[in-house]
Amino acid sequence: MRKLLVATALALALPSVASAGNVAMVARDVPLGARSLQAAAPPMRFNMLGVHWRGAGSVEVRTRSLRGAWRTWQDVDDDARPDIGSLERARGVRDGNLVWTGASSAVQFRTHGRVAALRAYYLWSRVTTVPTRHVSMAGSPAIVPRSGWFADEKILRAKPLYAPALRYAVVHHTAGTNAYTPAQSAAIVRGIEVYHVKGNGWNDIGYNFLVDRYGTVYEGRGGGIERPVIGAHAEGFNTGSVGVSMIGNFKAATPPAAQQSAVANLIAWRLDVAHVDPLSKVVVTSGGNAKYRAGKVVTLRAVSGHRDTGPSECPGARAYALLPALAQRISRIGLPKLYSPTAVGALGGPIRFQGRLSSARAWTVTVADAKGKTLARGTGRGSLVDWTWTSAGAGKGPFTWTIDAGAAVRPATGVLGKGTVPPPPATLAGLTAAPAVLSPNADGSGGVATISFTLGVPAQVIASVADWNGGAAVPVFTAGLPAGPGSFQVAAGTLPDGRYTLLVTATPTGGKAVSQQLELVVDRTLGSYAAAPAAVSPNGDGVSDTLTLSFVLAADVPVRFEIKKAGAFVASVFAGPLTAGSHVLSWDGLSAGVRVPDGSYDAVVTVTDALGDVPYSLPFAIDTTPPVLTLLELARLRFQLSEPATLTLLVNGTTFEYVAPKSAFTVPWTGGTVTSVSAQARDGAGNVSAIVKSP
């Protein structure tokens, strides 16, 4: 039996609205029953859609673009399984994967078989610039950290949980579409996080990593990319596995070469951290799902697909067929390697150390006390590591053991005796300064930089500044901070003009300190630097046509004024000497006589003084596109806008203004029944929409 359902804009009494920074989500129950085929608007414009339903049946969905074209019908992929503590588990609800639909204004559903209840989750995930911040651990591929894709740490339900060890990888696909841009990838990841937490009721995003079709790797569930974080990607098999999800649908399409390579490099590194042979098999006891009951012993490949662990078609037929060859490819990356290191025995008796190398090499086993003093050492050569230590009289420990096979091989370590395994070294990543050039002004502005970074574990963070001439380091910050994004500020204060090194060191309790550094410049030659307006519209209408740059020079210096985009040169506005004092420069939006396209840019002024070239940069936007204003409902004064703008309205003969968001919205009105309306929108760059009027 097939039922056709059309999502409506009815406001239901349920806890359905969630907003998480760059992502907004609204949930609505879809009424079951016979309905005619029509284009009914959901409660908001959306670009991602998730579906939950109860029953053994299946669901199809299609969406309508903002231009009014209906897309093809698609099956809802029921691959996302409940996390520990899921809100839906007890109610037997099936959690469909969240899919990227592109900007859409309506949705229709068809059900097959028994579907007792249906709920739709509409998300709008704002598309930002392509993430440029990456972290890279020893031997790892470049990974966009959670801070790089703007994960919302405030919505997390619980702290991460850890398995005793990582034993295997599970490959997924997110389903949905393969047609997305690099900039949309991060928006998809953000939407999945909100849907997994707010929609499915999970602790965090389910996957440990996500990989887009362009080969960009995103950190998923938080807790440390080198640690065995328990995800929510394979019900009954989350503990001891790492979930790697390819963004896209690979039932009938083959993952692009860049995506395959990124997945291979990622899994090769992650399994190497855990010393797992990618061609090995592991015996796992199921935690329970619809395919394997709790307690069922299952043999899996070290590189498995989601369908190997549960009742799922994930990661799609085409991607699943690639897994054997992918595992072979992974096994050849980053050689030589050490597999399956173990230490069997107890202090006071013999302890046997074993392991396997990918090729014959000289190896060493070392046992050291808490102070690092070597207690015992065994050596050998070959592909098998096998050495026994007679530990009688050594004491109760704790002692640290290490299996080492040279600088090219990742060593293995462990702890013997009383005490716990020392925490891993602090992961200090993504150290940036904004701005990197400080120009203290008399009014106190321009002399403060915000230093941002990410910690993989809680740590004591200490920062100091030292000039390039070998002067003493000046402490600027010290505090104990939790894992995750962190920041502090550095004020130029009494620092003289010069180039400085900012050194940041993070030390976990009982762990090894990790440091990173970057350059800061203090230069008072240029001050009071400002660019206006924030959005320029060089279309010749006389409104915001020109970017105006103002600044004050403290000395006579050569100056260059350039326009750049993502660090690349776009246009030269001015180059030449300027005298001390106030200056104003302007740009008409042209490069070699051609208007520069809409987008995000930087106005960069570079002065050449005793410190060499010192650039000052301010962001701005070029926007020549008028906003699109649509009247949705006259009685409620409900409109929709393509971008934030100020509305000028004439309602029942009364004129007033209203600042409106980029979305569907309702204009407050207390003047009685609305009989007529005329409205026009003006965006921040001065572009105006067409006038919309009531019929």
Side-chain angles (χ1 to χ4, degrees):
M1 178 179 181
R2 173 179 294 183
K3 297 177 182 179
L4 180 63
L5 306 170
V6 183
T8 70
L10 298 177
L12 304 179
L14 48 87
S16 59
V17 180
S19 180
N22 290 310
V23 182
M25 183 177 78
V26 178
R28 289 288 185 266
D29 287 334
V30 179
L32 293 170
R35 298 180 60 88
S36 61
L37 179 58
Q38 56 183 312
M44 61 181 282
R45 185 177 64 169
F46 61 96
N47 56 19
M48 302 191 77
L49 179 69
V51 180
H52 288 188
W53 72 98
R54 185 183 297 114
S58 61
V59 179
E60 284 184 290
V61 62
R62 71 172 180 172
T63 59
R64 188 180 68 186
S65 71
L66 298 184
R67 295 184 176 181
W70 285 99
R71 303 179 178 99
T72 58
W73 288 98
Q74 292 185 332
D75 294 328
V76 175
D77 207 358
D78 180 27
D79 286 335
R81 305 305 301 169
D83 192 9
I84 297 172
S86 171
L87 297 176
E88 309 290 5
R89 180 190 293 272
R91 293 183 282 173
V93 173
R94 299 172 66 181
D95 305 335
N97 275 337
L98 182 68
V99 298
W100 177 263
T101 64
S104 303
S105 59
V107 61
Q108 296 173 341
F109 300 92
R110 288 198 302 223
T111 65
H112 306 268
R114 186 175 66 84
V115 175
L118 183 64
R119 174 176 290 184
Y121 291 81
Y122 305 94
L123 288 87
W124 183 264
S125 184
R126 186 170 69 90
V127 178
T128 57
T129 57
V130 178
T132 56
R133 295 184 55 205
H134 298 81
V135 296
S136 184
M137 313 301 290
S140 80
I143 299 171
V144 178
R146 291 171 64 88
S147 60
W149 55 266
F150 303 116
D152 191 344
E153 308 295 350
K154 299 187 295 299
I155 68 173
L156 304 187
R157 295 179 179 272
K159 294 181 179 179
L161 300 175
Y162 299 93
L166 177 69
R167 303 179 63 202
Y168 59 104
V170 178
V171 179
H172 302 256
H173 70 169
T174 62
T177 182
N178 296 320
Y180 56 86
T181 67
Q184 290 169 343
S185 299
I188 292 172
V189 176
R190 286 193 294 273
I192 293 174
E193 178 200 25
V194 173
Y195 178 63
H196 282 185
V197 176
K198 295 290 187 178
N200 294 353
W202 300 352
N203 295 337
D204 190 356
I205 191 170
Y207 310 116
N208 298 98
F209 298 94
L210 300 95
V211 182
D212 72 14
R213 62 184 289 103
Y214 306 98
T216 302
V217 179
Y218 295 86
E219 176 188 8
R221 179 162 289 210
I225 64 175
E226 285 192 305
R227 303 185 68 185
V229 178
I230 299 174
H233 55 91
E235 185 182 19
F237 294 84
N238 288 318
T239 301
S241 66
V242 57
V244 177
S245 189
M246 296 181 290
I247 299 175
N249 190 324
F250 302 108
K251 290 181 179 180
T254 300
Q259 191 169 36
Q260 291 187 44
S261 295
V263 169
N265 291 331
L266 173 65
I267 295 178
W269 164 75
R270 191 62 191 88
L271 293 184
D272 185 32
V273 171
H275 299 288
V276 173
D277 182 351
L279 298 180
S280 66
K281 293 186 177 180
V282 293
V283 177
V284 184
T285 301
S286 171
N289 61 37
K291 183 176 182 178
Y292 297 116
R293 60 173 173 78
K296 175 71 173 178
V297 176
V298 181
T299 299
L300 298 172
R301 294 168 294 175
V303 181
S304 289
H306 186 191
R307 65 173 64 181
D308 295 322
T309 68
S312 171
E313 294 302 314
C314 181
R318 290 289 185 89
Y320 187 76
L322 294 174
L323 292 186
L326 183 70
Q328 290 286 344
R329 180 177 179 177
I330 291 169
S331 71
R332 297 189 292 268
I333 296 174
L335 297 176
K337 295 179 181 178
L338 169 63
Y339 302 130
S340 306
T342 59
V344 179
L347 287 172
I351 299 177
R352 188 177 184 182
F353 299 90
Q354 291 181 296
R356 181 169 57 87
L357 293 162
S358 59
S359 59
R361 300 181 65 83
W363 52 262
T364 302
V365 180
T366 305
V367 181
D369 63 16
K371 296 182 179 180
K373 180 181 178 181
T374 299
L375 300 179
R377 176 180 283 119
T379 60
R381 184 177 179 83
S383 59
L384 296 178
V385 177
D386 195 345
W387 176 69
T388 299
W389 175 42
T390 302
S391 63
K396 298 182 178 180
F399 303 132
T400 300
W401 61 266
T402 303
I403 298 177
D404 188 283
V409 179
R410 186 185 300 273
T413 62
V415 174
L416 301 170
K418 68 180 182 180
T420 58
V421 177
T427 300
L428 177 62
L431 186 65
T432 60
V437 178
L438 304 180
S439 182
N441 300 315
D443 61 3
S445 63
V448 178
T450 298
I451 311 301
S452 303
F453 52 89
T454 299
L455 291 176
V457 294
Q460 184 75 13
V461 177
I462 299 175
S464 60
V465 172
D467 67 50
W468 282 18
N469 295 322
V474 178
V476 292
F477 178 80
T478 179
L481 298 177
S487 65
F488 60 88
Q489 291 187 323
V490 173
T494 59
L495 291 175
D497 287 5
R499 296 185 179 272
Y500 295 83
T501 297
L502 173 72
L503 177 67
V504 178
T505 301
T507 308
T509 303
K512 182 180 179 181
V514 175
S515 298
Q516 286 192 4
Q517 64 184 36
L518 52 76
E519 180 189 1
L520 287 178
V521 178
V522 178
D523 191 341
R524 295 172 174 82
T525 300
L526 185 147
S528 302
Y529 181 36
V536 185
S537 179
N539 54 11
D541 63 358
V543 180
S544 301
D545 283 333
T546 303
L547 177 72
T548 300
L549 198 69
S550 60
F551 53 89
V552 177
L553 294 176
D556 299 351
V557 289
V559 173
R560 296 197 311 273
F561 175 18
E562 298 169 318
I563 306 299
K564 294 186 177 182
K565 184 177 180 64
F569 174 84
V570 173
S572 177
V573 182
F574 175 83
L578 290 177
T579 59
S582 299
H583 295 274
V584 175
L585 300 174
S586 62
W587 179 56
D588 58 6
L590 301 179
S591 176
V594 178
R595 196 180 77 185
V596 173
D598 288 7
S600 298
Y601 296 86
D602 292 296
V604 182
V605 170
T606 302
V607 300
T608 304
D609 56 17
L611 298 179
D613 284 351
V614 180
Y616 300 78
S617 179
L618 283 177
F620 71 98
I622 295 178
D623 179 8
T624 60
T625 305
V628 178
L629 178 65
T630 306
L631 176 62
L632 301 178
E633 186 179 348
L634 173 63
R636 296 174 57 202
L637 286 182
R638 188 156 181 79
F639 297 85
Q640 181 165 295
L641 261 175
S642 61
E643 60 178 307
T646 299
L647 263 62
T648 301
L649 300 104
L650 177 64
V651 180
N652 294 354
T654 301
T655 301
F656 62 96
E657 289 190 345
Y658 177 73
V659 178
K662 174 188 174 182
S663 63
F665 59 92
T666 299
V667 177
W669 173 255
T670 58
T673 302
V674 179
T675 58
S676 66
V677 64
S678 173
Q680 187 175 41
R682 181 185 295 272
D683 64 18
N687 303 304
V688 295
S689 72
I691 298 174
V692 298
K693 296 181 179 181
S694 55

